[in-house]
Amino acid sequence: MSHSELEELAAGYVLGALEPDDEHAFQRHLEGCPTCQGNVRELEAVGGELAYSASPADPPDTVWAGIRRQIEPEARRGAVPGPAATAAGQGGAAPGVPGTVSAPGTAGAGRGLRLLPGLAAAAAILLVVVLSLWNLNLRDENAVYRDRVAALERATQLANDPTANLVALDDNPGAPPGAQATVIASTREDRGVLLIENLPPLQRGRVYELWGIPAGADPATAAEKALVFVPLRRTGTQTLEFEVPVQPGTLFAITDEPGPDGSEKPTTSPLLSGSARTA
């Protein structure tokens, strides 16, 4: 991606609305780009105040015209017939008596009607804001559903491989609360899919790394880098494909490493780990 294309991802990054590949690419770029770092800081500062920061704006004349078309019929229907109008309806108007009168207590009705356009415009602006926020939330929910569908599709492809193993990374008693990770790995194709949920947010400049470690080997020297990733900022299952040598008994582990490219060998203790069953 060009720098201008990456700059366009800044808002989505702050909102947590990027796809995993775009988020990882932007995270890597962010580490070495002071310009984008500044953009992210500004967007993060503005984000929490967005709902309160809209300045007053005059809607177009067409909006006012539409509002008046809706209000004026109601105003006409709100007029109360006076004695002359009643008499006219019965065959004639009483001389010297106005055709209509205001209902008791409605002396300020005209002023109230004049306020209605302003109130309607404010309501219209508020509606636009609410709908925009709702649309953003709906898009986020749809992205979660797409991730889950993708997870099922990729998992199904590997499930048809008789050499594939389902590995739950649940061997660590001290795993982060709620964090879940599962690997579906094919020994025939040396590839797999990692499914993760609820991994803790990373500190800036850190990434998660998935390792494949041969059974019985020393992780410090034998671990093979399978995948470097950052977790989604929204809830839902994140699905990531990887390639690494896979054998019966291979240990899979996730560690927290320096970003953006991770480490060549693990430098921290695994947060989550699990082994493929041996034949």
Side-chain angles (χ1 to χ4, degrees):
M1 292 187 189
S2 67
H3 186 267
S4 60
E5 291 173 328
L6 287 163
E7 279 186 307
E8 293 174 359
L9 299 179
Y13 177 77
V14 170
L15 293 172
L18 296 181
E19 293 298 326
D21 289 343
D22 287 341
E23 184 164 294
H24 190 202
F26 185 81
Q27 173 72 32
R28 293 180 60 180
H29 170 74
L30 190 63
E31 295 300 326
C33 180
T35 300
C36 287
Q37 290 172 11
N39 290 341
V40 166
R41 283 193 296 270
E42 291 175 2
L43 288 167
E44 287 174 340
V46 169
E49 301 173 5
L50 185 60
Y52 306 98
S53 61
S55 57
D58 292 327
D61 292 338
T62 54
V63 173
W64 289 118
I67 291 171
R68 291 190 184 101
R69 282 196 298 273
Q70 296 297 320
I71 291 173
E72 287 172 357
E74 295 295 331
R76 287 195 294 270
R77 284 197 293 270
V80 179
T86 304
Q90 296 173 352
V97 180
T100 61
V101 298
S102 297
T106 60
R111 289 193 300 273
L113 288 175
R114 286 194 294 272
L115 290 175
L116 285 177
L119 294 175
I125 293 170
L126 178 61
L127 180 61
V128 170
V129 173
V130 171
L131 288 176
S132 298
L133 294 174
W134 176 80
N135 182 62
L136 180 62
N137 184 61
L138 183 62
R139 184 181 65 181
D140 195 54
E141 290 180 1
N142 287 340
V144 171
Y145 295 138
R146 287 198 301 271
D147 285 341
R148 290 175 179 171
V149 170
L152 290 173
E153 289 176 347
R154 294 173 187 175
T156 299
Q157 292 171 1
L158 282 176
N160 293 325
D161 183 347
T163 69
N165 279 297
L166 181 67
V167 185
L169 276 58
D170 56 6
D171 290 351
N172 291 40
Q180 299 180 31
T182 301
V183 165
I184 305 174
S186 167
T187 57
R188 180 176 63 189
E189 299 183 20
D190 285 338
R191 70 183 183 95
V193 171
L194 171 67
L195 299 94
I196 56 170
E197 259 189 291
N198 301 325
L199 281 182
L202 289 159
Q203 294 183 357
R204 188 172 295 278
R206 306 289 295 184
V207 294
Y208 284 121
E209 198 158 351
L210 175 69
W211 306 92
I213 306 167
D218 179 7
T221 58
E224 295 276 352
K225 178 186 291 195
L227 179 68
V228 176
F229 66 96
V230 292
L232 294 175
R233 296 190 177 191
R234 58 176 182 262
T235 58
T237 303
Q238 184 175 1
T239 309
L240 302 162
E241 293 184 285
F242 65 86
E243 293 185 6
V244 74
V246 181
Q247 299 297 327
T250 293
L251 173 73
F252 293 96
I254 294 175
T255 61
D256 178 343
E257 301 292 338
D261 298 320
S263 305
E264 291 305 312
K265 298 296 179 183
T267 62
T268 62
S269 299
L271 298 172
L272 297 168
S273 63
S275 298
R277 293 192 302 271
T278 56

